[in-house]
Every structure is written in structure tokens, then in C-alpha cells.
Amino acid sequence: NGITVVDPVFLLDKKFWLDKCLDYKTNKRYLLVYDFEHNVFVEETARLIAKKYNLEIWSIFDMKSADKKLKKVGPLEFLTYIKNADFILSNSFHATAFSLIFNKEFCVINRNENINTRMRDMLDTYSIPERLITSINDIENLKELDYKNINDIMSQNIEQSKQYIDDVIKYTKKRREVIE
């Protein structure tokens, strides 16, 4: 039987990632859109979320209706924009993971490619499958995320993953000693 461990980004604590963020401040309240595919449904969903929460739309990739198109976004800028966003809309596993780490409101849209399993599994793990938006109607029913519960689950999963990794390392060292 296989053991499920968290993605490595969860093994480093929130402070580690916050320390990597750039010193960037804005007075603007924004929805960050990170869409690999220039998906029409993502754009339509972004407009509805922005309207519902009174947010500007900032897009990492070119998006027609974005209020701000972000340029030259590397890993540190990516983290910084997620940290400062009021809401994140994405079809990216890591944008979703960092939304969780930074305790942000977010929604996920399926990618056209069939690579959505990790995102769906992650949403199920944290008991928030409704954050996967499949229809415009899903936006109307959004409730604020319960980060106390999510963080408790995250802490348990991180601890179990670290314990498993430690056990594998100890087992591997013992096996080496026996072989030598």
C-alpha cells in the first residue's frame, strides 16, 4: 500500500514562505488570476468573483479583462502576489497550495488537460470540494473558508508526512548498516 505525503511546499512552514516574499505593498484589493490555458471560463468566473467582492483583476498571464497584467513574474513575485491577494482564482496546483498556506480565499478551475487529480484530492483532503468551480452558479454559494479547520488538517498531514519521511530515512540507514 502506498502512503500519501503532502507536497514538499507544505513541509516548509508558512514563515519560511513569507520570508521569501518580496517587499511589495499595494492599497489595491485584487483577485489574482493564474490561468495557464487562457480559459474562457476562468475569465468569466474572474469577472463574477471580482464583481461579488469588489476587487480588481490582476492576471499573471495575459487576460483581456484584467485590470492589471503582471509582467516578469518569477517564483518570488508569484509568492508575493498570492500573499497580497484578497482572492485567488487558478487552475494551478501550486497556486492552490500557496493559497492554503497563506490562508487565502480561493477557487480552482479544472484544466482542460486531464491533470486535475492532485488539486481535487487536495480540496477533498481539506473538506472544501466546493472550491472547485464547475459552473458560474458555484460562485453564488461560496462561503468564507474555515481556516481553523483547514490549518488543523494541514498540521496533521504535515506531521504524518514528516514522520513517514523520517521512518523511511531511519529504515534506509539500518538497511545500509546491515549490508555493510
Side-chain angles (χ1 to χ4, degrees):
N1 277 340
I3 302 291
T4 301
V5 294
V6 297
D7 187 86
V9 299
F10 289 101
L11 295 176
L12 300 164
D13 66 13
K14 181 178 179 178
K15 183 184 178 331
F16 174 88
W17 294 114
L18 287 171
D19 288 346
K20 299 297 177 220
C21 290
L22 303 172
D23 189 26
Y24 173 79
K25 303 284 186 235
T26 180
N27 295 341
K28 306 281 185 177
R29 296 184 65 243
Y30 65 92
L31 162 68
L32 180 67
V33 178
Y34 189 60
D35 170 25
F36 284 105
E37 300 173 322
H38 304 290
N39 185 322
V40 174
F41 183 61
V42 170
E43 190 153 353
E44 183 181 355
T45 304
R47 286 193 304 265
L48 284 171
I49 291 172
K51 183 177 180 183
K52 179 176 180 171
Y53 296 101
N54 195 29
L55 302 171
E56 286 188 2
I57 299 173
W58 291 17
S59 179
I60 290 180
F61 292 102
D62 191 29
M63 190 171 100
K64 290 176 191 166
S65 61
D67 297 298
K68 184 171 184 173
K69 294 171 183 148
L70 304 168
K71 306 284 187 210
K72 297 181 182 174
V73 177
L76 301 181
E77 291 84 5
F78 174 76
L79 288 174
T80 303
Y81 287 126
I82 290 176
K83 179 192 90 153
N84 291 321
D86 291 274
F87 204 107
I88 294 94
L89 176 64
S90 180
N91 51 20
S92 155
F93 175 85
H94 285 101
T96 305
F98 283 110
S99 295
L100 286 162
I101 290 168
F102 292 149
N103 288 193
K104 295 294 181 171
E105 291 294 322
F106 71 92
C107 288
V108 176
I109 304 284
N110 273 327
R111 298 225 351 232
N112 292 329
E113 306 168 36
N114 276 335
I115 58 171
N116 300 296
T117 306
R118 287 194 320 158
M119 284 189 292
R120 278 196 307 271
D121 289 349
M122 185 166 44
L123 295 176
D124 288 344
T125 295
Y126 296 109
S127 302
I128 51 173
E130 72 281 358
R131 289 297 164 146
L132 178 64
I133 303 300
T134 57
S135 127
I136 292 302
N137 297 332
D138 296 342
I139 303 300
E140 295 306 316
N141 303 321
L142 285 179
K143 294 180 179 84
E144 189 173 326
L145 288 167
D146 175 5
Y147 268 106
K148 184 194 178 323
N149 185 51
I150 290 169
N151 289 333
D152 287 347
I153 295 168
M154 193 181 306
S155 293
Q156 290 172 344
N157 290 343
I158 291 168
E159 195 53 45
Q160 289 169 349
S161 296
K162 286 180 176 180
Q163 184 60 55
Y164 176 74
I165 292 167
D166 285 346
D167 291 347
V168 168
I169 291 170
K170 287 176 189 169
Y171 175 78
T172 303
K173 283 181 180 178
K174 284 182 183 176
R175 293 277 299 149
R176 253 194 223 130
E177 290 170 2
V178 169
I179 292 171
E180 293 172 350

